[in-house]
Amino acid sequence: MHKKITIKDIARLANVSHTTVSRALNNKSRIKNETKEKILAIASELNYQPNFIARSLVMNRTKTLGLVITTIANPFYTELSQGIETTAISLGYNIILCSSNYDLSAEKQYINMLRSKGVDGIIFTSAHMGDPNIIGLAEKGFPAILVNRRTYHPMVREKVDYVGVDNILGGFLAVEHLIKLGHKWIGVIGGSSESSVGFERLEGGKKALTTYGLKVIGDYFLEGDFLKGSGYQGGKKFLKMDEPPTAIFAANDYMALGTYQAILEEGLKIPEDMALIGFNDIEFTSMRGIELTTIGQKKYEMGALAVKTLVERIEGGKVGPSKEIILEPELIIRKTCGFHSKGYQIESKKSNDEQ
Amino acid sequence: MHKKITIKDIARLANVSHTTVSRALNNKSRIKNETKEKILAIASELNYQPNFIARSLVMNRTKTLGLVITTIANPFYTELSQGIETTAISLGYNIILCSSNYDLSAEKQYINMLRSKGVDGIIFTSAHMGDPNIIGLAEKGFPAILVNRRTYHPMVREKVDYVGVDNILGGFLAVEHLIKLGHKWIGVIGGSSESSVGFERLEGGKKALTTYGLKVIGDYFLEGDFLKGSGYQGGKKFLKMDEPPTAIFAANDYMALGTYQAILEEGLKIPEDMALIGFNDIEFTSMRGIELTTIGQKKYEMGALAVKTLVERIEGGKVGPSKEIILEPELIIRKTCGFHSKGYQIESKKSNDEQ
DNA sequence: TGTTCTTGCGTTAACGGTAACACAAAAATT
DNA sequence: AATTTTTGTGTTACCGTTAACGCAAGAACA
């Protein structure tokens, strides 16, 4: 393999010191235009590529960001990642991908690795509620940002920025939609209790119930884990109740898809016999044959915003208190909750066991 | 922020030279067990994290791989990426993610950046047929591997390994399936001409036609671009023909999904009025309401194999000629091709329930 | 015309590791 | 007991950059 050419090679050919070459390449002041151009010409002639490793060592900056994610297999995260990666590139940063696969100890190893490799900052897309790793980072003042999921730990809130959707409002919108369609018995399948978004969406749902004068019934709140299987099981569970709900809000689309399947398996029709609403608006939920009503959020923008905020913090020094950027969710009406003609006048839906 | 501790800090505390600390940390021979343990104790006490940047500079190895991909938004690539990332981690490597978004000049910039950052090798998941960037890399003998899509350039074939599915066989299986179901008029929507996999799947399809004594009719072969839209347009085009085909093979699932929609929009039923088969078996095609018959390939394993092969080449020196690893595709029968009364027994495959 | 300021560049020292080499002391061999 | 080999460690150089500092020559000012 070709020997890599360095600034010293250029220096020799240009009859200057390697420092001067460095100055020319970095467009520093106090260099004669003539010599600069000579050096630049030689550099491009030789197709010189700077060695970022060496630069990083002395500058203590790598122009690289770590992205810690549970799994990119979830379309929600892939879209988020796209926003993150594309924006990072546009700002001159690269992304090192780290899929923790829901393993907290793996996360710790990732963080150590990333810090060893000198990343300038780390993006966490799926922080656990009391994630000790993130708390540790916050204590050290290491540049990091939380996207999507957050942590309520005071130290983290104080030091680490956050970008996410208003999950409480999202949950509210979902359940409100069901209520406005005439539902009074609404089942909710939450996310894992370690996740802030699951918790918040649940809170929003409860808020909608109380706002509209409906009771919050414990049996109608099931805990899930954001995976399809738990949506499926939740659906089955609801349908086996003496008084099943007439509508179900699943805290994400994956679970909603599982619930969908459970409902069909029990011989019920959607939306006639059971209304269903999800959360996230992942690709494919809009496809024919599914057309899930759901709560949408700007995933790509969220990722983009996260990177911008993080890079700002990295490059702007450690100034300023931490930010919390909250985006607006949006109700996306498709076909799994039925239609409303005017002002939410919907055909009242009686299930057999309604009293 | 805390000052990062270095081997020199440890050396001072242990009363040895920094070289000895390096020896202890790297488990080199010729060091007294006693001193080694003392050093290791101090290192873990101080929670020492090695500086990979410095190590990389002298060793000329970063334990980092570049992943050049068109977009991770395509579920095919996300699953591939998962295999790549997980395997890389298990072998001690990190992945820098580079989404080219179908832009060849972006690819060139990515490659330069990756080389500047000193990655030990690059994985290409979607090489163009005559990709000059990859040819350049091959000429320099830089460690690289092609996954999924390939290049037929002799220099690349000679120097760069390849892992992919047998797309010719896959195309053959798809069309053969349709033929065995009794179809004689089969429309094919190919991939982009810049992609080896599109070309190969088409070849396989033609081979099936001639093998079973059917004519290869030019009008029945449309060029697509692997995106949903071109599948949709292709479907429309076929249906507007005087003699539309009775079955369509789309060279990937995304296009098949588009074709699906076009068919439904024209008021036809699948599979009664039109049979449809795709390629890749991406998630969601198995979902209720779609259940696309398709050609499956082991995406995760493909990614894993690619990383293993690349790392082998990196770590084993540049020995040995290049490898071509070809995996077997698999016909996955679901519901979009229907059943045939006589002679062709179909055992339906259980849909792969995700997560 | 002498003094100060600016410009342009070279010298040298980092950054945090690894590796080649040297050289005593200890162990093994004769 | 003398010689050779092995073991354990320190010294020094180096990887390819950037940055602090120094200094001569020219420009600006008095």
Side-chain angles (χ1 to χ4, degrees):
Chain A
M1 186 165 14
H2 265 210
K3 198 183 157 295
K4 262 272 175 189
I5 62 156
T6 73
I7 52 170
K8 289 185 183 170
D9 299 320
I10 300 175
R12 212 174 310 117
L13 289 169
N15 258 316
V16 293
S17 77
H18 70 275
T19 306
T20 301
V21 176
S22 174
R23 273 192 275 257
L25 260 21
N26 293 297
N27 211 15
K28 288 275 167 90
S29 56
R30 292 178 60 155
I31 181 169
K32 215 200 294 178
N33 227 308
E34 193 184 327
T35 43
K36 181 157 92 180
E37 272 160 22
K38 183 171 70 177
I39 290 168
L40 257 31
I42 294 175
S44 88
E45 167 91 22
L46 297 180
N47 189 28
Y48 166 76
Q49 297 295 128
N51 183 325
F52 271 73
I53 308 274
R55 177 182 296 177
S56 297
L57 185 57
V58 50
M59 305 251 289
N60 209 26
R61 298 276 305 291
T62 54
K63 288 276 185 176
T64 306
L65 267 23
L67 170 59
V68 180
I69 207 164
T70 51
T71 169
I72 53 167
N74 183 329
F76 171 79
Y77 287 115
T78 68
E79 202 172 330
L80 188 63
S81 304
Q82 267 203 298
I84 288 172
E85 204 264 342
T86 307
T87 310
I89 288 298
S90 76
L91 295 175
Y93 286 77
N94 283 109
I95 294 290
I96 292 184
L97 180 65
C98 301
S99 304
S100 72
N101 289 309
Y102 305 93
D103 178 355
L104 208 60
S105 77
E107 185 181 282
K108 191 181 172 68
Q109 289 187 301
Y110 271 124
I111 293 174
N112 283 340
M113 177 63 91
L114 289 172
R115 298 209 62 198
S116 270
K117 291 205 171 169
V119 295
D120 298 333
I122 303 182
I123 301 161
F124 293 91
T125 61
S126 28
H128 284 215
M129 277 291 232
D131 195 324
N133 301 318
I134 294 172
I135 297 172
L137 244 35
E139 279 166 353
K140 284 177 204 131
F142 186 83
I145 190 162
L146 268 31
V147 205
N148 181 41
R149 294 192 193 174
R150 69 190 305 178
T151 268
Y152 290 110
H153 191 282
M155 170 70 86
V156 176
R157 290 191 83 162
E158 188 191 322
K159 302 236 185 181
V160 180
D161 301 319
Y162 167 68
V163 179
V165 79
D166 189 337
N167 286 292
I168 295 182
L169 177 55
F172 183 91
L173 290 175
V175 172
E176 181 187 49
H177 180 61
L178 297 173
I179 294 171
K180 284 193 175 174
L181 286 169
H183 293 281
K184 293 184 163 44
W185 309 95
I186 297 169
V188 177
I189 305 175
S192 94
S193 59
E194 283 164 334
S195 151
S196 65
V197 302
F199 171 75
E200 291 164 357
R201 289 170 195 173
L202 231 68
E203 285 303 300
K206 285 178 187 166
K207 196 172 146 197
L209 290 174
T210 54
T211 299
Y212 285 90
L214 295 175
K215 264 200 281 216
V216 176
I217 303 165
D219 285 356
Y220 282 0
F221 284 77
L222 263 31
E223 181 170 337
D225 60 3
F226 287 129
L227 300 178
K228 209 166 163 182
S230 73
Y232 177 84
Q233 284 152 21
K236 289 278 184 183
K237 219 169 189 173
F238 278 135
L239 294 173
K240 292 212 172 86
M241 289 172 78
D242 292 337
E243 290 183 286
T246 62
I248 297 175
F249 165 42
N252 80 348
D253 288 351
Y254 256 107
M255 293 196 296
L257 255 21
T259 310
Y260 199 106
Q261 191 173 335
I263 294 167
L264 293 189
E265 277 183 18
E266 294 293 315
L268 298 182
K269 283 192 174 158
I270 296 173
E272 292 83 355
D273 305 323
M274 179 69 80
L276 178 64
I277 187 167
F279 204 115
N280 277 349
D281 186 31
I282 59 177
E283 202 193 349
F284 294 103
T285 55
S286 63
M287 265 191 326
R288 280 193 91 102
I290 299 176
E291 288 163 291
L292 182 72
T293 292
T294 188
I295 302 294
Q297 53 175 316
K298 301 205 171 84
K299 303 171 271 291
Y300 186 96
E301 284 76 6
M302 207 159 98
L305 219 44
V307 171
K308 277 180 201 155
T309 310
L310 178 58
V311 167
E312 228 166 67
R313 189 155 288 267
I314 289 169
E315 297 185 347
K318 49 188 71 174
V319 286
S322 71
K323 283 187 214 165
E324 291 190 355
I325 301 174
I326 310 293
L327 304 175
E328 282 247 334
E330 175 196 13
L331 172 65
I332 297 175
I333 298 172
R334 295 210 184 90
K335 297 193 175 165
T336 55
C337 294
F339 306 92
H340 58 90
S341 43
K342 276 178 205 164
Y344 273 108
Q345 301 286 355
I346 192 143
E347 70 283 7
S348 71
K349 48 208 338 288
K350 307 251 188 284
S351 66
N352 309 334
D353 31 29
E354 200 180 52
Q355 298 182 329
Chain B
M1 185 164 19
H2 264 208
K3 199 184 157 293
K4 261 272 175 188
I5 60 156
T6 73
I7 53 170
K8 287 180 186 171
D9 299 319
I10 299 175
R12 212 175 311 116
L13 288 170
N15 257 317
V16 293
S17 76
H18 70 276
T19 306
T20 302
V21 175
S22 173
R23 273 190 276 255
L25 259 22
N26 293 296
N27 212 11
K28 288 275 168 85
S29 56
R30 292 181 58 160
I31 180 167
K32 214 201 291 180
N33 228 308
E34 194 184 326
T35 42
K36 181 158 93 181
E37 272 160 21
K38 182 171 68 178
I39 290 169
L40 258 30
I42 294 175
S44 88
E45 168 90 22
L46 297 180
N47 190 26
Y48 167 76
Q49 297 294 128
N51 183 326
F52 271 72
I53 308 273
R55 178 182 294 175
S56 296
L57 185 58
V58 52
M59 305 253 288
N60 210 25
R61 297 276 305 292
T62 55
K63 288 276 184 175
T64 305
L65 267 24
L67 171 58
V68 179
I69 207 163
T70 51
T71 169
I72 54 167
N74 183 329
F76 171 79
Y77 287 115
T78 70
E79 200 171 331
L80 188 63
S81 303
Q82 267 203 298
I84 288 170
E85 205 263 343
T86 307
T87 309
I89 288 297
S90 77
L91 296 175
Y93 286 78
N94 283 109
I95 295 290
I96 291 184
L97 180 64
C98 302
S99 303
S100 72
N101 288 310
Y102 305 95
D103 179 354
L104 209 60
S105 77
E107 184 181 284
K108 190 181 174 69
Q109 288 186 301
Y110 270 124
I111 293 174
N112 284 340
M113 177 63 91
L114 289 172
R115 297 208 63 198
S116 269
K117 291 206 172 170
V119 296
D120 298 333
I122 303 182
I123 301 162
F124 292 91
T125 61
S126 28
H128 283 214
M129 276 294 231
D131 194 324
N133 302 318
I134 295 172
I135 296 171
L137 244 33
E139 278 166 353
K140 286 177 203 131
F142 186 83
I145 190 161
L146 268 32
V147 205
N148 180 40
R149 294 192 192 173
R150 69 190 303 176
T151 268
Y152 290 110
H153 191 281
M155 170 69 86
V156 176
R157 290 190 82 163
E158 188 191 322
K159 301 236 185 180
V160 180
D161 301 319
Y162 168 67
V163 180
V165 78
D166 189 337
N167 286 293
I168 296 181
L169 177 55
F172 184 91
L173 290 175
V175 172
E176 182 188 49
H177 180 60
L178 297 173
I179 294 170
K180 284 193 176 175
L181 286 169
H183 293 281
K184 292 185 162 44
W185 309 96
I186 296 169
V188 177
I189 305 175
S192 93
S193 60
E194 282 164 337
S195 151
S196 65
V197 302
F199 172 75
E200 291 163 358
R201 288 170 195 174
L202 231 67
E203 284 304 299
K206 287 178 187 167
K207 197 172 146 198
L209 290 174
T210 54
T211 300
Y212 285 91
L214 295 175
K215 262 197 277 203
V216 176
I217 303 164
D219 285 355
Y220 282 2
F221 283 77
L222 262 33
E223 181 171 335
D225 61 2
F226 287 129
L227 299 177
K228 211 165 160 183
S230 73
Y232 177 84
Q233 283 153 21
K236 289 277 183 182
K237 217 168 190 174
F238 278 137
L239 294 173
K240 293 211 171 87
M241 291 172 77
D242 292 336
E243 290 185 287
T246 62
I248 298 175
F249 165 41
N252 80 348
D253 287 351
Y254 256 105
M255 293 196 295
L257 253 23
T259 310
Y260 198 106
Q261 191 175 334
I263 295 168
L264 294 189
E265 276 183 17
E266 295 293 316
L268 298 183
K269 282 194 175 156
I270 296 173
E272 292 82 355
D273 306 322
M274 180 68 81
L276 179 63
I277 186 166
F279 205 115
N280 276 351
D281 186 31
I282 60 175
E283 202 195 348
F284 293 102
T285 56
S286 64
M287 266 191 325
R288 282 192 89 103
I290 300 177
E291 290 164 290
L292 182 72
T293 292
T294 189
I295 303 294
Q297 53 175 314
K298 300 204 171 84
K299 303 171 271 294
Y300 186 96
E301 285 75 6
M302 208 159 99
L305 219 45
V307 172
K308 277 181 201 156
T309 310
L310 178 58
V311 168
E312 229 166 66
R313 188 156 291 266
I314 290 168
E315 297 186 347
K318 47 187 72 174
V319 286
S322 72
K323 282 188 215 166
E324 291 190 354
I325 301 174
I326 310 292
L327 304 175
E328 283 246 333
E330 177 198 12
L331 173 64
I332 297 174
I333 298 171
R334 295 207 184 90
K335 297 192 176 165
T336 55
C337 293
F339 306 88
H340 191 63
S341 41
K342 45 191 165 181
Y344 191 47
Q345 295 285 19
I346 295 166
E347 70 283 19
S348 77
K349 185 187 184 258
K350 201 176 146 251
S351 67
N352 64 331
D353 199 14
E354 262 297 322
Q355 299 184 331

